[in-house]
Amino acid sequence: MSQSTCSKPNQMASGRHETLLAEIERVSSTGGFCWHVATGNMTCTDEVYRIFDLEATVPVTLPLIRTRIHAEDLPFLDDMLERASAQASGFEYQLRLRTETVKYLLLSARRRDDADDQALYIGAIQDVTRRRLSEEALGTVRCELARLARVSSLGALTASIAHEVNQPLAGIMTNASTCLEMLASDPPDLDGARETSRRTIRDTERACEVIARLRALFGKRGGKTESLDLNGAAREVIALSSSDLHRRRVTLHTEFADDLPSVTGDRVQLQQVILNLLLNAAEAMSAVEDRPRRLLIRTEPDAADQVRLSVQDTGVGFESHDAPRLFEPFYTTKSGGMGIGLSVSRSIIESHSGRLWAEHHAGPGATFAFSIPARGSERSAHNLSAAPALADTEHLMRRA
Amino acid sequence: MADATLVSIVDDDESMQQSLPDLVSKFGFAVRTFTSAEEFLASDCIGQTKCMILDVAMPGMSGPDLKRELTRRGQTIPIIFVTGQPDQDLRRELLAEGAVECLFKPFSATVLRRALDTALKKVKRG
């Protein structure tokens, strides 16, 4: 093996060193390689052979590697070749192998020119399958927990929903009865019948809107990222919970910034957070009799390309020594609460690269607020829970 | 219609405010509609009202609050409660406190008619 190509890494060390390096490779599931672009010559350590399921005696070549790569990820390999021939200083890819079970690899390499100024890439290939699978499992659990929290807030809203639907239904019933009466009179009151029929249709539309809002908020889906207006998302939540707030004698005030930048995120998940903060605030005021039960929802642009939404109440507030525990799972001060609302909310906001916090008031009540990056800002959400690492693939591909 | 029996409706819901008066007047009653308990209390209709159709949950003063206020003022207008919350416990409570009826929305014209008849019989007896 000449200086102009790769020296086998394992030969560089000797004796105890060699054994130690081999051991480390196995423990970390990381293999090393050296790739001479011009000749196509590749030298790999034992772990690479193991990862790719290759016979130890076979020389590793790009065409051989290609046969092992998952068909959907072949474009990444082509991209890598392109970069290498353009003498990129380095690259990093996430690749899947189509071995017996799918393996997930992280490949990173750096260029180091040889004596003849020929491009040489030295790199590492790590088998990250176990980490990927546990990330996926975690994502699934997080989605499911978020759904459970939604269902539990659905329970809290049941009375409100019945009320919201029964109002237009009562209108439909009454208008239809009146219409029949008008048609039965002698002579029939046709103008009146027309008007009551029109009202019947309008009330039906009103009932349908309630159902559509419910489906949007509580249907089983998640992990869908889109560009959205936080004011609009908050308004939909308010429309659904207003009669509940109303019933609890809570007066709702809104201060929405007109020029609020849009954000990137999962609409349903963010609405769930807003709903949760609203219901918590209403709950915190349920025993308040000596002052108005006032709830203020405010949106505003925040520092550093962030958008902030805050919910302020005049409720019982919280003791400052409880502040750190508020967001812990299963911590609750409510008799009927599960104590997962705030912890799920925080996990949702963090998956949007944002922050959720509580503010203590000098006066009565508390403020809960979150801020998330505005759309297009550097930290804008790209790693939502549903498919964290897959979404990253493209991101990684563009790095180099 | 000046001599027709006056039924006052108090409900904050727009669908009810529009649909109920037409139906009740088809039954042959005079109707006044109010969007809140406060509006009714401020009106000159209290004395003439022979029966009330009263929503339970309203912002500000609730239906039961208004009933208590009327009792405090010595008014004994028969009251038919209507509510969008199908809550049986609440219904029992309201009936125990002397309401003529508590109807869950949506209710049919027939049950409303029956409740109105019961309420007005009560007036005659009283």
Side-chain angles (χ1 to χ4, degrees):
Chain A
M1 215 158 277
S2 79
Q3 267 301 100
S4 65
T5 59
C6 304
S7 42
K8 190 168 183 188
N10 281 358
Q11 285 173 351
M12 293 187 290
S14 60
R16 268 175 44 206
H17 246 109
E18 191 177 334
T19 324
L20 181 63
L21 281 177
E23 200 62 35
I24 291 172
E25 280 210 322
R26 291 202 76 147
V27 170
S28 62
S29 309
T30 307
F33 70 89
C34 173
W35 173 31
H36 192 261
V37 182
T39 61
N41 196 331
M42 268 194 152
T43 313
C44 300
T45 62
D46 294 348
E47 190 62 20
V48 172
Y49 280 85
R50 255 193 304 274
I51 291 172
F52 281 84
D53 267 343
L54 299 171
E55 298 268 344
T57 50
V58 196
V60 179
T61 59
L62 270 174
L64 180 63
I65 294 276
R66 179 173 275 276
T67 62
R68 301 291 161 134
I69 305 282
H70 196 287
E72 287 173 19
D73 289 353
L74 283 174
F76 295 138
L77 196 67
D78 295 333
D79 188 78
M80 186 179 89
L81 289 173
E82 218 171 276
R83 267 162 203 278
S85 47
Q87 312 249 312
S89 61
F91 41 78
E92 186 170 302
Y93 292 94
Q94 288 199 0
L95 294 169
R96 282 168 298 172
L97 294 193
R98 52 172 193 194
T99 37
E100 201 172 322
T101 56
V102 174
K103 277 185 194 169
Y104 295 85
L105 304 188
L106 184 64
L107 181 156
S108 45
R110 265 200 219 147
R111 199 184 77 206
R112 203 174 72 189
D113 296 344
D114 69 2
D116 306 327
D117 271 350
Q118 299 268 0
L120 205 64
Y121 285 92
I122 312 277
I125 295 174
Q126 189 178 14
D127 181 348
V128 292
T129 310
R130 280 221 317 238
R131 193 202 303 167
R132 257 308 296 273
L133 293 181
S134 60
E135 273 170 6
E136 267 176 22
L138 192 64
T140 313
V141 170
R142 192 192 286 146
C143 267
E144 186 57 18
L145 192 58
R147 197 182 70 80
L148 278 179
R150 278 214 297 284
V151 171
S152 90
S153 41
L154 178 65
L157 279 180
T158 304
S160 172
I161 291 160
H163 191 257
E164 283 282 285
V165 179
N166 284 338
Q167 294 287 19
L169 287 183
I172 292 166
M173 184 86 107
T174 310
N175 281 314
S177 306
T178 311
C179 184
L180 286 178
E181 294 281 340
M182 287 171 164
L183 291 173
S185 32
D186 188 19
D189 177 0
L190 292 180
D191 286 341
R194 268 185 216 106
E195 175 56 24
T196 48
S197 296
R198 265 194 288 273
R199 282 191 219 140
T200 307
I201 294 167
R202 190 208 50 199
D203 285 345
T204 309
E205 284 166 352
R206 196 178 141 195
C208 292
E209 278 165 25
V210 177
I211 303 294
R213 279 202 296 268
L214 280 174
R215 282 179 55 115
L217 194 50
F218 294 105
K220 187 173 182 174
R221 61 170 269 276
K224 190 167 160 252
T225 310
E226 59 185 329
S227 164
L228 61 98
D229 165 31
L230 209 53
N231 287 343
R235 280 197 192 95
E236 284 176 18
V237 174
I238 291 169
L240 200 61
S241 48
S242 62
S243 90
D244 188 59
L245 296 174
H246 196 118
R247 202 169 48 90
R248 299 168 185 238
R249 312 271 177 85
V250 172
T251 49
L252 179 72
H253 301 263
T254 54
E255 284 176 17
F256 288 159
D258 293 331
D259 53 347
L260 201 67
S262 55
V263 297
T264 306
D266 183 317
R267 185 182 199 89
V268 172
Q269 290 193 356
L270 289 175
Q271 286 186 320
Q272 185 193 339
V273 174
I274 299 170
L275 176 64
N276 203 263
L277 297 182
L278 283 188
L279 292 177
N280 276 351
E283 188 70 28
M285 294 190 285
S286 59
V288 170
E289 299 294 351
D290 60 339
R291 57 182 180 268
R293 299 178 186 175
R294 190 171 185 276
L295 200 155
L296 173 66
I297 305 181
R298 180 187 286 140
T299 59
E300 59 202 312
D302 206 355
D305 284 342
Q306 302 267 314
V307 177
R308 176 198 291 217
L309 182 144
S310 56
V311 177
Q312 183 184 338
D313 65 57
T314 58
V316 289
F318 56 88
E319 299 294 329
S320 50
H321 61 258
D322 282 336
R325 300 184 57 200
L326 290 173
F327 299 97
E328 284 176 14
F330 306 112
Y331 175 79
T332 183
T333 54
K334 296 186 269 180
S335 53
M338 263 169 82
I340 57 170
L342 278 177
S343 103
V344 169
S345 294
R346 176 171 271 189
S347 132
I348 289 173
I349 294 301
E350 283 173 356
S351 76
H352 284 76
S353 311
R355 206 162 65 80
L356 172 69
W357 69 95
E359 283 166 18
H360 201 54
H361 283 188
T367 297
F368 284 81
F370 66 78
S371 71
I372 51 176
R375 185 161 174 262
S377 72
E378 230 170 78
R379 293 175 54 225
S380 182
H382 61 262
N383 55 348
L384 286 175
S385 53
L390 268 186
D392 272 355
T393 316
E394 197 183 319
H395 179 71
L396 279 172
M397 209 183 109
R398 291 290 148 224
R399 226 196 274 165
Chain B
M1 286 292 268
D3 294 337
T5 308
L6 178 64
V7 174
S8 291
I9 298 170
V10 185
D11 198 320
D12 68 313
D13 183 70
E14 209 188 319
S15 297
M16 283 287 98
Q17 287 162 16
Q18 292 182 352
S19 61
L20 259 190
D22 282 354
L23 182 63
V24 174
S25 54
K26 272 282 152 198
F27 290 158
F29 302 108
V31 187
R32 287 286 302 268
T33 309
F34 304 90
T35 60
S36 72
E38 290 85 350
E39 192 188 336
F40 176 72
L41 285 176
S43 76
D44 55 2
C45 286
I46 304 177
Q48 300 146 46
T49 299
K50 297 288 181 288
C51 174
M52 281 185 86
I53 300 175
L54 179 56
D55 189 21
V56 173
M58 291 183 287
M61 190 182 247
S62 73
D65 287 345
L66 174 59
K67 181 171 180 290
R68 277 187 283 277
E69 175 60 20
L70 289 171
T71 311
R72 198 185 64 77
R73 296 186 184 190
Q75 297 286 346
T76 54
I77 307 170
I79 292 176
I80 299 164
F81 279 107
V82 291
T83 177
Q85 312 279 1
D87 181 344
Q88 290 292 354
D89 292 340
L90 177 72
R91 180 171 188 272
R92 267 192 292 277
E93 214 173 285
L94 292 172
L95 293 183
E97 286 169 16
V100 173
E101 200 23 300
C102 175
L103 302 177
F104 294 149
K105 296 176 185 176
F107 46 82
S108 72
T110 320
V111 301
L112 178 65
R113 178 77 222 229
R114 201 182 301 143
L116 281 166
D117 289 344
T118 313
L120 295 166
K121 260 181 226 145
K122 215 172 167 178
V123 178
K124 276 177 200 150
R125 273 207 312 270

